[in-house]
């Protein structure tokens, strides 16, 4: 069957290319990552302990905007094409580690044709952020 021609690139937190996949319109980034064995969850784990405590039940959220473990950093030119995040997404992003100006929750980002060529980079969870007990801030 002919492909959709819509490409999505994944990079790890160091910016190294992980995978380029062909995606369907309407799919969300979390589902795509699952389908292609890209581990978005677990970025919030530190020494095996969940940093989101009660909020997080890894694998249980499944796109219900309750965990932020699906946090991805998008290429700016594609980020700008997306509809604004809803309030609940913004609230969750505030708790995400390694937050950037082009961060979104992967479960909330639906693929459209114009997003062809987008890169989703996995965030880095830095030790200091939670050792200090500080939340990342928007710039
Ligand atoms: Fe939980 Fe996206 S999967 S917020």
């Amino acid at each position: 069957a002919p492909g959709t021609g819509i490409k999505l690139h994944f990079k790890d937190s160091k910016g190294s290319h992980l995978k380029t996949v062909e995606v369907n319109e309407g799919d969300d980034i979390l589902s795509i990552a699952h389908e292609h064995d890209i581990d978005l969850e677990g970025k919030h784990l530190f020494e095996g302990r969940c940093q989101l405590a009660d909020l997080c039940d890894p694998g249980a959220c499944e796109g219900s905007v309750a965990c932020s473990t699906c946090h991805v950093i998008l290429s700016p030119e594609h980020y700008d094409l997306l509809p604004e995040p809803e309030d609940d997404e913004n609230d969750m992003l505030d708790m995400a580690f390694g937050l950037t100006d082009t961060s979104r929750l992967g479960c909330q980002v639906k693929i459209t044709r114009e997003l062809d060529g987008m890169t989703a980079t996995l965030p880095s969870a830095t030790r200091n952020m939670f050792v200090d007990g500080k939340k990342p801030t928007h710039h």
Side-chain angles (χ1 to χ4, degrees):
T4 62
I6 307 174
K7 295 261 180 12
L8 176 63
H9 311 289
F10 283 96
K11 289 187 178 177
D12 70 15
S13 60
K14 304 221 162 36
S16 302
H17 180 259
L18 285 174
K19 244 174 212 186
T20 294
V21 298
E22 192 157 359
V23 294
N24 296 310
E25 281 183 274
D27 286 356
D28 66 80
I29 293 179
L30 175 67
S31 311
I32 294 165
H34 280 165
E35 193 180 323
H36 295 280
D37 293 325
I38 293 160
D39 186 21
L40 299 185
E41 295 93 343
K43 300 298 157 201
H44 59 303
L45 294 177
F46 178 66
E47 291 176 352
R49 198 159 55 85
C50 178
Q51 298 303 315
L52 296 176
D54 298 350
L55 280 169
C56 173
D57 184 359
C61 171
E62 299 285 349
S64 55
V65 199
C67 70
S68 85
T69 59
C70 61
H71 174 202
V72 287
I73 297 160
L74 302 178
S75 31
E77 66 272 30
H78 297 101
Y79 176 90
D80 288 341
L81 297 172
L82 294 170
E84 295 282 308
E86 304 283 340
D87 286 350
D88 54 358
E89 183 180 349
N90 274 327
D91 289 349
M92 274 299 137
L93 277 171
D94 280 343
M95 283 181 277
F97 299 108
L99 188 69
T100 75
D101 287 341
T102 62
S103 288
R104 293 295 300 259
L105 295 181
C107 67
Q108 300 305 301
V109 177
K110 296 256 194 302
I111 296 301
T112 59
R113 186 154 291 282
E114 60 180 354
L115 296 179
D116 176 37
M118 180 160 69
T119 298
T121 302
L122 308 190
S124 51
T126 70
R127 172 187 275 254
N128 287 340
M129 239 176 247
F130 40 84
V131 167
D132 297 345
K134 287 197 190 104
K135 292 205 303 187
T137 49
H138 286 287
H139 298 290

